[in-house]
Amino acid sequence: VQLQASGGGLVQAGGSLKLSCAASGRTFGAYGMGWFRQAPGKEREFVAAIRWSSGTTHHADSIKGRFTISRDDGKTTVYLQMNSLKPEDTAVYYCAAGSVRLLTDKRQYDYWGQGTQVTVSS
């Protein structure tokens, strides 16, 4: 499985960005795909995830109402729409995939993309 993340950049507080994660290499019927982020000096944290077979989503409390994860079935691509961005959202954002039971647990993800930088200026 290969994951290619894109869409990061520099944006002012209150702005929006949309991240994409294109997956290839195998089918995703039993997979979960998620977004995690890591700020300098901090641990990688869960942002949002989607279970591919059912479309069930889960969002971290810190971004709920501002970020939305979605998928494009035909392209096996996952998106993260980020609105009302805050400086504290600044981090490297990683997409991940795996046969996960608990979508929020990064240890259960087998495959990781290269990360895309999101910087929010105040």
Side-chain angles (χ1 to χ4, degrees):
V1 175
Q2 293 184 333
L3 303 174
Q4 181 69 43
S6 61
L10 173 64
V11 64
Q12 289 188 334
S16 298
L17 284 174
K18 186 174 185 177
L19 306 183
S20 299
C21 178
S24 62
R26 65 177 297 164
T27 59
F28 291 88
Y31 269 49
M33 290 188 69
W35 288 97
F36 292 78
R37 67 185 182 185
Q38 188 166 18
K42 295 187 177 181
E43 290 190 1
R44 192 169 298 188
E45 65 174 1
F46 170 78
V47 176
I50 186 166
R51 199 167 296 282
W52 203 264
S53 57
S54 65
T56 301
T57 62
H58 187 79
H59 296 79
D61 288 343
S62 61
I63 55 85
K64 200 169 290 184
R66 299 188 297 121
F67 294 8
T68 303
I69 190 170
S70 63
R71 66 181 181 184
D72 183 328
D73 294 338
K75 296 182 179 179
T76 58
T77 299
V78 171
Y79 305 98
L80 185 68
Q81 177 66 48
M82 304 186 296
N83 299 326
S84 302
L85 282 159
K86 304 175 181 180
E88 51 264 43
D89 295 319
T90 295
V92 177
Y93 283 70
Y94 297 90
C95 63
S99 297
V100 297
R101 291 185 179 181
L102 184 61
L103 291 172
T104 59
D105 186 356
K106 60 181 179 287
R107 298 169 298 178
Q108 296 188 27
Y109 287 81
D110 303 305
Y111 306 99
W112 292 84
Q114 83 284 7
T116 184
Q117 177 71 47
V118 171
T119 303
V120 184
S121 63
S122 56

